[in-house]
Amino acid sequence: MSRRMPPLNPLHVFETVARVGGFGKAAAELGVTQSAVSRQIAVLEDFLGVRLFNRERAGATLTEAGTSYAADIAEPFARIAAATARLSDAKTSDALHVRAYATFSAKWLIPRLPAFKARYPRANIRVSSIVKAVDFSRETVDVAIQFGQGHWPGTQSRLLFGDLLQPVTSPDLARRLAGGGPEALVRETLLHSYYRRRDWADWLKAADVEAVDPGGGMVFESSVLTYQAAAEGLGIAIGQPLLLKDEIAAGRLVPLFGPPILRDLGYYAVWPTDRRLPRRVETFINWLEAVAREDAEYALAKAGVRLPKPADT
């Protein structure tokens, strides 16, 4: 008995529209016009005999049937994409794919990669960024740098360094605050990174400051933008000293109010447990841990903060 399969190109277009959230965005990803996307969706709807989208003046939204169908086909498409990428990678190179947060990559990882390349000149490293935790079953990633407590299902992890927090600001604003305590923050603008909204609350609690509203101030999409805003004098950000060594050394950012605090969170190298760890990945993880450890211990010795010993989890 033959299987009834939908036309695959319209199905691919539908999966893209549902995944990215709109006809226009799908057209941009697929490299076609929005009208071409609309025609492909119409072909699929005619084949299925079901309306998948509500066409409205403000845009198209999935119907109940469309939402259910999109959920059913999402995983097969993701697995096809991952399998294709793995096959392509195996054919063209032995690239080591590293996934890390954009701020971690820009402020810590990338500045240190030349040293790794000098030591391992044949290494081929690809770096990508995303906020959410990596799903190794659906993504072609060898090792990820993730932030948390070291526990993610189906993975093994190794601590690189703990999460240190300390307010930072521009030199001009730092001079104005010189000699005062953290209670002076009640008169200042707090700067927040969208994905690190706990930082101010945790630091203020550790500093026993109750008069400052940890939720007030300005919010930026990323830590990079938050630090730039602090350097421009827009207010005071919660900085991560280990990621801001260059800015602090150059005087673009000035740490405030004593030594940093160390939270029960950290940056971890993470890899899947359901596959053999290739030698090149193990070499990179070992190098990553050694450089991170040395970097952190040197920086923290001045501040009197002691890092916990690393351990596999």
Side-chain angles (χ1 to χ4, degrees):
M1 184 176 181
S2 63
R3 294 181 296 181
R4 184 170 181 262
M5 294 289 291
L8 295 183
N9 191 54
L11 187 67
H12 177 213
V13 172
F14 168 71
E15 185 276 336
T16 304
V17 174
R19 174 168 47 81
V20 302
F23 282 33
K25 292 180 180 179
E29 178 170 317
L30 296 168
V32 299
T33 64
Q34 189 166 332
S35 61
V37 169
S38 183
R39 287 195 297 272
Q40 292 295 314
I41 296 299
V43 169
L44 183 61
E45 289 179 325
D46 286 345
F47 177 85
L48 296 172
V50 174
R51 189 171 63 177
L52 301 172
F53 289 93
N54 294 313
R55 276 75 167 179
E56 301 166 349
R57 181 172 297 179
T61 58
L62 285 165
T63 63
E64 184 177 349
T67 299
S68 177
Y69 195 45
D72 286 340
I73 69 170
E75 183 173 354
F77 267 93
R79 290 189 176 277
I80 291 170
T84 303
R86 282 194 295 270
L87 184 62
S88 178
D89 285 349
K91 183 178 179 181
T92 60
S93 70
D94 288 328
L96 192 159
H97 188 174
V98 182
R99 175 70 56 78
Y101 305 111
T103 299
F104 186 93
S105 295
K107 299 296 184 182
W108 195 90
L109 178 60
I110 291 174
R112 288 157 180 80
L113 282 182
F116 182 79
K117 288 287 290 182
R119 186 171 179 179
Y120 304 99
R122 299 183 63 182
N124 183 7
I125 299 177
R126 296 167 51 197
V127 179
S128 64
S129 298
I130 197 170
V131 174
K132 66 180 181 179
V134 174
D135 182 348
F136 288 101
S137 69
R138 300 177 62 175
E139 301 177 71
T140 56
V141 176
D142 293 301
V143 59
I145 311 300
Q146 295 188 171
F147 180 74
Q149 294 182 316
H151 305 292
W152 294 274
T155 69
Q156 189 170 355
S157 64
R158 194 177 297 173
L159 177 67
L160 300 180
F161 47 74
D163 188 40
L164 288 151
L165 301 179
Q166 186 171 16
V168 293
T169 192
S170 67
D172 288 344
L173 188 48
R175 281 191 289 271
R176 181 158 63 80
L177 294 170
E183 294 78 12
L185 290 170
V186 73
R187 298 185 298 273
E188 305 298 334
T189 300
L190 306 188
L191 308 178
H192 305 265
S193 174
Y194 179 81
Y195 292 103
R196 294 183 60 102
R197 298 299 297 272
R198 272 185 52 189
D199 287 5
W200 268 116
D202 287 353
W203 187 88
L204 290 167
K205 181 178 180 180
D208 292 324
V209 178
E210 298 180 354
V212 178
D213 177 10
M218 302 175 65
V219 180
F220 297 86
E221 185 177 357
S222 69
S223 294
V224 169
L225 294 178
T226 309
Y227 299 150
Q228 182 64 32
E232 297 295 337
L234 286 176
I236 302 171
I238 282 290
Q240 299 165 272
L242 292 173
L243 303 187
L244 296 174
K245 289 177 61 178
D246 291 344
E247 285 82 354
I248 292 171
R252 292 189 295 272
L253 286 172
V254 179
L256 301 173
F257 310 127
I261 68 165
L262 178 62
R263 289 199 295 188
D264 61 343
L265 300 168
Y267 287 96
Y268 289 80
V270 183
W271 62 96
T273 56
D274 64 350
R275 68 187 74 158
R276 183 182 64 83
L277 193 64
R279 182 181 295 275
R280 71 185 191 281
V281 180
E282 185 176 6
T283 297
F284 181 76
I285 292 171
N286 290 338
W287 172 84
L288 199 64
E289 181 187 21
V291 172
R293 189 76 187 172
E294 180 181 356
D295 201 29
E297 288 182 343
Y298 175 80
L300 296 176
K302 299 178 181 179
V305 179
R306 187 176 180 182
L307 282 176
K309 292 186 178 299
D312 290 349
T313 57

